[in-house]
Amino acid sequence: MTDRLPARLARRRRAARMALWWEALWPRLWPVLGVVGLFLVVALLGLPLLLPRWLHLLGLAGFALALVWVARRAFRGLRPPAPGAADRRLERASGLRHQPLETLDDHAAGDDPLSRAVWAEHQRRARAMIGRLRVGIPRPGLAGLDRRALRGALVVALVASAGVAGEEAPERLRRAFLPQMALPPAPEALRLEAWVTPPAYTRAPPLFLDAGGGAITVPTGSRLHLALSGGSGGVPDLLVDGVAAPFRGLDATSYAAEAVLDHGLTAAIRRDGSELVRWVLTARADAPPVVAFSEPPARAARGLAIRLPWRAEDDWGLASVRADLRLVGRPGAAPMAVDLSLPAGAAKQARGTAQPDLSAHPWAGLDVAVTLVATDGAGQEGQSEPAVLTLPERAFSHPVAQALIAQRRALSLDPSARTAARLELDRITGNPETFEDDVAIFLTLRAARARLTRDRRPEAVPEVQEIFWDVAVALEEGRTDRTARALAEARQALREALETARQREEAATARDQEARPDAERAEAERRIQELREAIRRHLEALAERLQRENGEALPYDPANRLMDQRDLDRRTERMREANREDRPRDAQQELAELERMLDQLEQGQASRGESAERQQRRERGQQQMGVMQDMVRRQQALLDQGHQRAEAADQRRQTARRQPGRQPPAGEEASPGDAAHDARVQRALRRALGEVMQQFGDVTGEVPEPLGRADQAMRDAQARLGAGGDARPDQQRALRELAEGSRQMAQQMQRQFGQSEPGDDQGEGEGEGMADGDQQGGQGQAQSAEQGQGRDPLGRRAREAPGAAENNGDTRVPDEAELLRSRRIQEELRRRGAERARPVQELDYIDRLLKRF
């Protein structure tokens, strides 16, 4: 133990001397390091490179002199620590008093045993303290010399300049010490950019390659783009599967190259014999699309359409889907293509059900093989397995129409069988009584025969087939429908002539009255005569059809006041008189009365010719149309409530901004239950719409698409109201779709049942009554029974009825043109009223106008 104490003490003394040296040296060394650090900052920033050579040398000399001067001044007076200084530091750092380390080297003054014993005990205690000796942390006191902490700023500047220099730091330091060397500028660092552009049909973004190389899979047909700039060396080469091709130069140090990736390859860049980077590019071929029937194709449940359920998919997106129909009985015939609608954008997966009506096609009634064909963006096609079905055809009851359709079908199977078709046409035209001795039909059939005989073009057969179809449809419709079309044209022509005369009368002022041209008056006279003849022919055709079908003449129905020749003469004579006296308004009124009587006649004939089932379906359709009108009004009311709440909230916010301290009075805040109540009403309207769509689909076999969009808009509005949001945009969209759906419902009823569109003979606002179809029908029957003899189809007493006062039958009724114009104005007002972004004053004015309707 005694031997280890001197060794431990010696180590403590050496450490103390080193601490004393550091405390003396560091304050003198820091100014020298400051000058060196400042020089490094300047060198790393590249400032010496911007100076001329002489100024660069002058700067180096200045830094050298500053370094020598600072070092000389700093190290002047530097002395090694005194011999006892290390012991004093150890004693201070260890907290020892009375210099116990010096006791180890001293000896007792006396030589007696007691003195030596006491001194030995004293040294023993001093040696016991050596184990607690501490050197302590050196404290050079630099903070007291550098009170502004310039050393920290220098360290930050040195780190920042090193970051700015980056990879060029060694070169900048070297050139800072060698101003006499005229070195060229350092070459720009090598930059490489590589990316792959997929084909446009994929709609995929570019794929950037790793500058260090690697492997990647890309679509076939992609283009590899390479851009290289900077570095040193010659023109680089692009190696594609070992075949080198030089880059094209963009400037002195920039190059670019491209390659088409039609297959997998290895691409590398080589420069001056060394390979810079390598990629392995795998090309993935574009798979053709897949298409198939989701269900076997068949005839639609209603109507003459065919039902084609399909599904298709492609790895990059579908471009088109179509159905190719090939005639089974004539495989060599060109296929008939039916395009199928796809979702917006290049969908990768799609499905749907197409229901094309091909009953008018020459292949109707024949077996066809249906194949689905899907095409992707690359032009590749995928086909489904063919499915065989028979195209639905229209049923004809007229014998001549049946014969023509049979020949049309035979020509589809064998276009060269013209002789048989000519012989059949000879047989038909040889018996004109079979088609009512109609000269137009006779001439049309003879023209078709001549074309089959002399026109040897392949296109002649389809043209003749089209003629066969038109004649068959005309025969099936009968003379009644042809005369009805002629009557409608005559009515329209007279209506336009009278409207022109009325507009001239309105444009003329009392001071500047222009005389009506004789040519215009004569034209109106001729139109009136044409209408009279058209009505007479139509009445004769109706009588002939009834007599042919029922064996009886056209009955006279006093309840409906079906017109006879005397009614026709009286009405047309009044129109002529009003026309001669330049009273176009009165002529239009007489025409409107006459048209209403004709409409009543058509409705009576349609109801007598309908079966009980068809009439029931028509009444159900009318009822659903009435419900739709009522639903439009209720949706409009719901939208108006939303606007009122929004306006009230705006007013409250404006009041709060004007009066920050004002508290709203009780009852002024909107009830939280208003939105919830509207959400419940919206849900009820949506359910009612679903029932209307289902029932109307059962009646007509087709539901207008706008009703489906209205259902979605109502769903969104309900969700927004439930969440307390603003549902007005969704409600406006629902209102527009409901109006469009009502219009398409009316068109479907017109096509299937011959019904006039809503509004032609009934004003807006009747939907609520139509919703209660039974009540309306009962009232209509009671009204009809009350009309009796001497009343017109509207239930008013006719002016010519015996005992009727003249003023009772001369009620002013708006003509059809005025009704149409009023309807258009009302529709425009409703459209503008639904745009709640308009000014409040304008919306209030529109609401006041709508209340008048």
Side-chain angles (χ1 to χ4, degrees), residues 587-599:
Q588 285 183 326
Q589 180 180 350
E590 295 294 339
L591 176 60
E593 295 289 345
L594 184 60
E595 288 181 333
R596 288 189 181 90
M597 297 177 68
L598 290 171
D599 293 339

Side-chain angles (χ1 to χ4, degrees), residues 137-154:
I137 299 174
R139 301 182 182 276
L142 187 60
L145 300 176
D146 183 15
R147 298 182 180 277
R148 299 183 181 275
L150 297 180
R151 61 191 184 279
L154 181 60

Side-chain angles (χ1 to χ4, degrees), residues 125-356:
R125 292 181 180 181
R127 284 194 294 271
M129 296 180 184
I130 295 176
R132 295 189 288 112
L133 293 177
R134 298 289 183 271
V135 178
I137 299 174
R139 301 182 182 276
L142 187 60
L145 300 176
D146 183 15
R147 298 182 180 277
R148 299 183 181 275
L150 297 180
R151 61 191 184 279
L154 181 60
V155 172
V156 173
L158 187 60
V159 174
S161 59
V164 172
E167 298 178 356
E168 298 179 2
E171 181 65 21
R172 290 187 180 184
L173 291 175
R174 187 177 67 85
R175 296 184 61 187
F177 286 102
L178 302 173
Q180 72 280 8
M181 298 179 60
L183 297 176
E188 184 182 357
L190 181 66
R191 293 186 57 187
L192 173 62
E193 295 180 356
W195 69 96
V196 175
T197 303
Y201 68 84
T202 63
R203 293 177 172 83
L207 305 174
F208 289 91
L209 304 181
D210 187 357
I216 190 172
T217 301
V218 297
T220 301
S222 302
R223 297 187 67 87
L224 172 64
H225 302 268
L226 300 171
L228 188 145
S229 61
S232 60
V235 178
D237 294 331
L238 173 62
L239 278 71
V240 178
D241 289 337
V243 179
F247 279 62
R248 70 175 185 274
L250 302 178
D251 55 27
T253 60
S254 301
Y255 307 92
E258 294 181 2
V260 180
L261 305 178
D262 292 331
H263 54 81
L265 52 84
T266 300
I269 300 177
R270 185 176 61 186
R271 191 174 197 178
D272 295 339
S274 61
E275 185 175 289
L276 302 181
V277 65
R278 175 181 293 269
W279 297 281
V280 178
L281 305 173
T282 303
R284 185 182 65 184
D286 183 15
V290 178
V291 62
F293 290 104
S294 55
E295 297 177 13
R299 179 170 178 170
R302 298 182 180 88
L304 298 176
I306 59 175
R307 188 171 182 272
L308 301 176
W310 59 273
R311 55 181 175 81
E313 60 181 12
D314 185 69
D315 49 359
W316 291 111
L318 298 164
S320 65
V321 179
R322 72 177 188 273
D324 285 347
L325 284 70
R326 297 184 181 274
L327 195 58
V328 175
R330 185 160 63 98
M336 174 178 55
V338 177
D339 292 331
L340 308 181
S341 60
L342 283 173
K348 294 185 178 181
Q349 293 183 349
R351 60 190 307 121
T353 301
Q355 296 191 14

Side-chain angles (χ1 to χ4, degrees), residues 531-785:
L531 177 62
R532 178 179 178 180
E533 292 298 323
I535 295 175
R536 182 184 60 78
R537 289 192 295 269
H538 186 54
L539 290 177
E540 292 177 356
L542 288 176
E544 290 177 2
R545 188 180 71 178
L546 287 176
Q547 187 174 7
R548 183 173 62 253
E549 295 177 354
N550 305 322
E552 59 182 15
L554 181 66
Y556 178 76
D557 189 351
N560 290 330
R561 291 285 296 160
L562 299 179
M563 67 174 58
D564 56 10
Q565 191 62 37
R566 290 179 299 174
D567 294 330
L568 173 63
D569 292 340
R570 279 192 292 270
R571 295 292 181 187
T572 53
E573 187 60 32
R574 287 173 183 169
M575 280 191 288
R576 285 178 176 175
E577 182 179 355
N579 181 56
R580 296 191 194 100
E581 296 177 0
D582 290 341
R583 291 185 287 114
R585 291 181 178 272
D586 295 339
Q588 285 183 326
Q589 180 180 350
E590 295 294 339
L591 176 60
E593 295 289 345
L594 184 60
E595 288 181 333
R596 288 189 181 90
M597 297 177 68
L598 290 171
D599 293 339
Q600 188 73 11
L601 174 64
E602 292 294 336
Q603 293 176 7
Q605 291 299 315
S607 62
R608 274 191 291 271
E610 285 181 335
S611 63
E613 180 181 359
R614 180 178 175 85
Q615 187 173 3
Q616 184 180 8
R617 290 173 57 197
R618 176 173 56 81
E619 291 176 355
R620 288 175 56 195
Q622 290 177 344
Q623 180 180 359
Q624 299 309 316
M625 291 168 61
V627 173
M628 282 299 303
Q629 293 179 0
D630 180 67
M631 190 175 300
V632 170
R633 286 197 301 273
R634 294 179 184 274
Q635 185 66 46
Q636 179 67 51
L638 200 60
L639 177 61
D640 293 340
Q641 292 177 8
H643 285 305
Q644 292 173 2
R645 286 200 306 271
E647 292 174 359
D650 292 340
Q651 292 178 0
R652 288 194 297 271
R653 285 194 292 269
Q654 293 177 3
T655 303
R657 285 196 296 268
R658 290 194 300 267
Q659 302 176 3
R662 176 181 177 270
Q663 296 294 331
E668 185 176 345
E669 294 293 336
S671 174
D674 290 345
H677 175 268
D678 288 353
R680 292 192 296 270
V681 175
Q682 187 69 75
R683 180 176 58 186
L685 283 177
R686 180 168 167 263
R687 290 179 177 176
L689 177 61
E691 295 178 359
V692 170
M693 293 168 63
Q694 180 179 0
Q695 296 179 13
F696 191 79
D698 295 339
V699 172
T700 62
E702 184 180 359
V703 178
E705 293 183 2
L707 296 185
R709 295 193 293 268
D711 179 81
Q712 181 61 39
M714 288 183 176
R715 183 197 300 270
D716 298 340
Q718 177 186 345
R720 290 182 183 273
L721 289 172
D726 187 4
R728 289 179 293 170
D730 297 322
Q731 291 175 341
Q732 291 176 356
R733 179 160 53 93
L735 194 60
R736 290 195 300 269
E737 298 297 345
L738 286 175
E740 178 63 20
S742 300
R743 187 185 67 82
Q744 294 189 15
M745 289 172 64
Q747 291 178 350
Q748 293 180 17
M749 291 289 293
Q750 172 71 17
R751 288 194 299 268
Q752 294 197 15
F753 303 106
Q755 292 296 110
S756 59
E757 296 186 11
D760 288 350
D761 46 14
Q762 62 187 10
E764 294 286 342
E766 293 182 0
E768 192 170 349
M770 291 182 67
D772 191 0
D774 298 336
Q775 296 180 5
Q776 188 186 19
Q779 293 174 1
Q781 292 174 2
Q783 245 178 4
S784 176

Side-chain angles (χ1 to χ4, degrees), residues 13 132 187 214 296 381 383-384 489 496 501 519 737-738 829 831:
R13 286 174 173 172
R132 295 189 288 112
E381 291 186 350
Q383 296 185 358
S384 67
E489 294 174 358
E496 292 176 356
E737 298 297 345
L738 286 175
L829 289 175
R831 184 187 67 79

Side-chain angles (χ1 to χ4, degrees), residues 88 91 96-103 122:
R88 304 291 85 77
E91 293 170 351
L96 302 179
R97 295 178 298 175
H98 307 301
Q99 299 180 356
L101 296 180
E102 192 171 346
T103 303
H122 181 59

